[in-house]
Amino acid sequence: MSLHADALTTLRDWEAPDDEQEALRRRYLTHLERHPDGMLRAGRPDHVTASTLVLDAAGTSVLLTLHAKSGRWFQVGGHTEPEDATLAGAALREALEETGIARADLALDPVPLLLDAHHVPFCGPGENVHHLDVMFVAHAAASAAPSISEESLDLAWWPVDGLPDAELAPFVARALARRRHAGQAGSASGAAGSSSDGGGSSRAAADQPSR
């Protein structure tokens, strides 16, 4: 399956959490259905990108990068590459490249967190280029050791209640809500396992995501 086909499948299967996100989901699908190059940086005026919101192990901080071109703090992410096989894979690759965290210390949920379409004036030629971003969430292990990349001016953990940009707050809130839901599901599964097998354990839902 090509990256383009995977993105179509991912977005067709994804259950949008509200009407606004559903409208974006349909916009993304229409774009990809009409544009075979819709996943590529060269696609104009819009193209799909992939980003990752990285939470720390405790869920109290988020790792953000100070973007070199915009001068603003964002989640990590960017354009897909020809070698990317899946949309989630592209998001993970970007996260690993931009944070320097070892692969073993970063767990990405392959189910998209949310969609965020925005105008990008500095993305090559053309004045009306939009990134149709598909945002994922990943959890860094306590042993994770981030290191700044050449693509950013800085990289830092920010407390979830002290973000540098108010526009990030809804994204982080949604990531934390999913984390809590996964924890509750894991606890319920663990309780059920204990009653049925005399103390068996279960992994948290965040470690066993299902599309």
Side-chain angles (χ1 to χ4, degrees):
M1 179 183 292
S2 68
L3 174 61
H4 186 275
D6 174 79
L8 279 170
T9 297
T10 298
L11 292 168
R12 285 168 178 161
D13 291 347
W14 186 62
E15 296 183 10
D18 53 46
D19 291 343
E20 181 178 0
Q21 287 287 294
E22 175 61 17
L24 283 175
R25 187 184 76 89
R26 293 180 179 275
R27 174 182 172 183
Y28 284 30
L29 285 173
T30 298
H31 172 74
L32 290 174
E33 289 164 355
R34 293 179 178 176
H35 300 281
D37 63 348
M39 296 296 301
L40 305 176
R41 183 197 299 257
R44 290 293 188 271
D46 303 341
H47 45 265
V48 174
T49 57
S51 67
T52 303
L53 200 63
V54 179
L55 294 174
D56 70 346
T60 58
S61 299
V62 59
L63 188 61
L64 301 175
T65 179
L66 183 58
H67 197 274
K69 291 183 178 180
S70 69
R72 297 174 61 187
W73 291 93
F74 293 126
Q75 74 278 10
V76 294
H79 295 97
T80 63
E81 299 292 345
E83 64 267 22
D84 293 324
T86 66
L87 194 54
L92 178 60
R93 175 187 54 75
E94 284 285 332
L96 295 173
E97 290 176 356
E98 294 190 16
T99 67
I101 294 176
R103 174 66 185 88
D105 286 337
L106 195 63
L108 183 131
D109 185 339
V111 179
L113 177 68
L114 58 86
L115 309 180
D116 177 40
H118 49 274
H119 179 235
V120 187
F122 48 78
C123 187
E127 298 180 355
N128 295 310
V129 176
H130 291 80
H131 280 180
L132 306 183
D133 192 55
V134 181
M135 192 183 304
F136 295 80
V137 62
H139 299 87
S143 57
S147 60
I148 190 171
S149 74
E150 297 179 353
E151 297 184 25
S152 64
L153 298 175
D154 199 0
L155 184 74
W157 289 106
W158 288 83
V160 296
D161 57 356
L163 299 170
D165 191 328
E167 291 185 7
L168 295 170
F171 305 159
V172 174
R174 188 160 294 183
L176 292 175
R178 177 179 288 189
R179 180 188 178 95
R180 287 192 296 272
H181 178 75
Q184 292 167 358
S187 297
S189 177
S194 296
S195 63
S196 62
D197 61 14
S201 63
S202 65
R203 295 172 62 191
D207 295 328
Q208 296 179 322
S210 60
R211 180 169 298 172

